[in-house]
Amino acid sequence: MNHGLQIQENYSLRNYNTFNIDVSAARFVELISDDDIKKFVSQVKVLQPIYILGGGSNVLFLNDFRGLVVSIATKRIQKIDETESSIDLECAAGETWNDVVSFCVKNNYYGIENLVLIPGTVGAAPIQNIGAYGVEIKDILINVEGFDLDSKKLLTFTNKECEFNYRSSIFKTKLNGKFLITKVRVRLSKEKKYQLNYRALNEKFGNQNIESISIQDVANYIKQIRLEKLPDHTKLGNAGSFFKNPEIDIEHLEELKKQFKGIVYFAAATGNYKIAAGWLIEECGFKGKRIGNVSCYEKQALVIVNHGGATGNEIKEYAEKIQSAVKDKFRISLIPEVNII
Ligand code: FAD
Ligand code: EPU
């Protein structure tokens, strides 16, 4: 059947996932224009099963995908509104997230700079409400546009309707796999203001006059921290934090504090406490511990790395070992942040 789309067969996904897992898709299509997206949506029922892929930096493939992998590659960053104090940008889903951040940093549009160097695409960013250094995309997002793949209708979700939470949104819960994000609109400030509450940022900039700090200073400092702590996925396959930081209640925390003096925790918005999963994993002896081709990164235990040639299942088994050790030692269940397919 001619779908009007360039569908390829037996397509290697090795360069399409940052874990560098050697799997393939039975069929593969890259959507590079709005027109491609419309063609795809109009035929989505007959093209099933499908999997939507951005930059592949938050996925772990266990097997070859037997259906159609849809790679979103539409590019555009456009100013859509401007006032004296703010600027609204509309960004296409396939745009590289860090290119949007760089564009804003270059033009002194404030609010997004803490999210510098997060790999992946604009369209995936709202899915898990990307966050780093005290900022989440929910803090700057106006709305998300895309196609409901059941009704084929073009819908817009306001920030509130996205049901954002820590590493979660409606697109990762109720609408998981059912919604194709095509555009994300964000509002940045033209007035200088920074989010510097994160400890490392507070230590660096806390005593400085805001006028003396440039947006480039903040972005560059975060880049420096990230490059020191996180592995370069082009050299060492990984998908960033493998698990979410877990949340526990005060009673559980008090018990753990008696036993583990150095436990790393901070108050969560819910009234509970977030525990640094990296600390839990390190305490269980996994930091740098290699089993076959897999280990936790030696500088950040929350990142699982593929030293080359690991299969998705090897990585999953390693992750399960971590989960059971952390459960036994701390009575805490670690939940993967990475999407396991
Ligand atoms: P993919 O991995 O391709 O997809 C992720 C999910 O989104 C999948 O379920 C996919 O089906 C879905 N999806 C993708 N595009 C669309 C679309 N257009 N419409 C509908 N569904 C879609 N994350 C953070 O939050 N903070 C960090 O600091 C951070 N640091 C990282 C550092 C490294 C070294 C790496 C490798 C990853 C890091 N991540 C971080 C995780 C990752 O970068 C983000 O989750 C990113 O948003 C994933 O984008 P992607 O385009 O690669 O998504
Ligand atoms: N820690 C350890 N050992 C480790 C790693 C961390 O003890 O091996 C402890 C340290 O005390 C450290 C603390 O944990 O100070 C926090 O570590 P870090 O600042 O590296 O942050 P994180 O909680 O491990 C989270 C996000 C990252 C994000 C950073 C910065 C999650 C799951 N991860 O990591 O996001 O970049 O904060 O804001 O929330 C991602 O989602 O893929 C990701 C990389």
Side-chain angles (χ1 to χ4, degrees):
M1 193 196 297
N2 181 3
H3 304 282
L5 294 167
Q6 292 271 324
I7 295 181
Q8 313 204 47
E9 300 199 342
N10 289 326
Y11 199 85
S12 171
L13 298 177
R14 188 164 185 162
N15 296 328
Y16 288 82
N17 72 99
T18 61
F19 257 126
N20 301 329
I21 305 294
D22 195 4
V23 284
S24 60
R27 288 168 298 136
F28 179 89
V29 68
E30 198 161 43
L31 305 182
I32 58 167
S33 65
D34 292 349
D35 196 42
D36 280 353
I37 291 182
K38 280 190 197 135
K39 278 185 198 149
F40 165 72
V41 172
S42 72
Q43 302 164 83
V44 66
K45 294 273 177 332
V46 294
L47 294 172
Q48 296 290 339
I50 60 142
Y51 192 79
I52 301 168
L53 200 60
S57 64
N58 207 25
V59 292
L60 175 64
F61 284 102
L62 300 183
N63 298 300
D64 291 337
F65 188 73
R66 294 197 178 158
L68 175 70
V69 165
V70 185
S71 172
I72 310 296
T74 47
K75 302 270 180 200
R76 192 171 56 254
I77 305 173
Q78 196 182 347
K79 289 184 199 175
I80 50 166
D81 206 358
E82 188 164 6
T83 66
E84 247 178 47
S85 59
S86 70
I87 183 125
D88 294 356
L89 301 178
E90 179 180 280
C91 309
E95 191 62 68
T96 301
W97 173 259
N98 196 49
D99 288 353
V100 177
V101 179
S102 302
F103 175 81
C104 294
V105 168
K106 196 170 144 214
N107 289 289
N108 294 317
Y109 301 152
Y110 299 88
I112 200 173
E113 59 281 358
N114 293 28
L115 302 178
V116 69
L117 277 196
I118 298 182
T121 56
V122 162
I127 306 266
Q128 72 154 3
N129 181 25
I130 56 166
Y133 300 93
V135 172
E136 292 177 322
I137 192 176
K138 75 164 172 48
D139 302 327
I140 52 165
L141 184 136
I142 306 169
N143 61 35
V144 167
E145 188 176 298
F147 286 96
D148 177 312
L149 297 178
D150 283 337
S151 68
K152 302 182 186 175
K153 283 197 177 127
L154 185 65
L155 303 178
T156 300
F157 284 72
T158 62
N159 183 309
K160 189 154 183 275
E161 287 165 345
C162 292
E163 296 179 10
F164 287 124
N165 262 309
Y166 166 63
R167 293 298 188 272
S168 177
S169 72
I170 193 168
F171 312 110
K172 198 164 175 172
T173 53
K174 289 178 214 157
L175 293 179
N176 191 359
K178 294 182 180 164
F179 194 75
L180 169 60
I181 293 178
T182 54
K183 283 172 193 156
V184 174
R185 302 190 182 98
V186 288
R187 177 163 300 159
L188 291 319
S189 170
K190 284 162 65 179
E191 289 163 0
K192 198 183 248 201
K193 51 180 167 194
Y194 300 115
Q195 171 49 266
L196 301 171
N197 288 340
Y198 204 86
R199 201 166 125 201
L201 300 183
N202 193 33
E203 279 167 12
K204 170 85 176 167
F205 298 108
N207 292 328
Q208 291 183 36
N209 180 330
I210 184 169
E211 284 314 317
S212 69
I213 308 169
S214 73
I215 191 168
Q216 285 83 5
D217 292 338
V218 177
N220 285 341
Y221 189 61
I222 292 171
K223 274 188 197 169
Q224 187 188 320
I225 303 176
R226 293 185 66 102
L227 293 171
E228 275 165 16
K229 222 184 256 189
L230 296 168
D232 174 353
H233 65 76
T234 62
K235 300 198 176 103
L236 206 51
N238 76 90
S241 302
F242 195 90
F243 300 103
K244 297 185 201 181
N245 284 326
E247 221 175 278
I248 60 173
D249 61 26
I250 182 77
E251 288 80 23
H252 193 165
L253 175 65
E254 288 304 334
E255 276 177 45
L256 291 177
K257 274 163 75 179
K258 282 182 211 150
Q259 238 183 312
F260 305 98
K261 301 287 177 231
I263 187 165
V264 180
Y265 64 93
F266 45 97
T270 53
N272 286 331
Y273 291 85
K274 281 253 178 74
I275 311 295
W279 182 86
L280 296 170
I281 296 168
E282 184 174 351
E283 279 294 297
C284 289
F286 283 93
K287 195 170 189 169
K289 175 178 171 177
R290 186 160 169 174
I291 304 178
N293 297 313
V294 186
S295 81
C296 283
Y297 190 51
E298 57 198 7
K299 295 181 195 162
Q300 168 42 295
L302 189 47
V303 179
I304 299 183
V305 298
N306 172 8
H307 290 273
T311 63
N313 276 303
E314 268 176 86
I315 291 172
K316 181 169 167 268
E317 281 159 24
Y318 188 97
E320 286 166 352
K321 285 194 173 72
I322 295 176
Q323 282 172 308
S324 88
V326 168
K327 181 85 184 161
D328 288 351
K329 192 162 180 171
F330 301 103
R331 288 175 294 107
I332 291 177
S333 301
L334 290 181
I335 298 167
E337 178 200 286
V338 171
N339 300 283
I340 299 172
I341 306 152

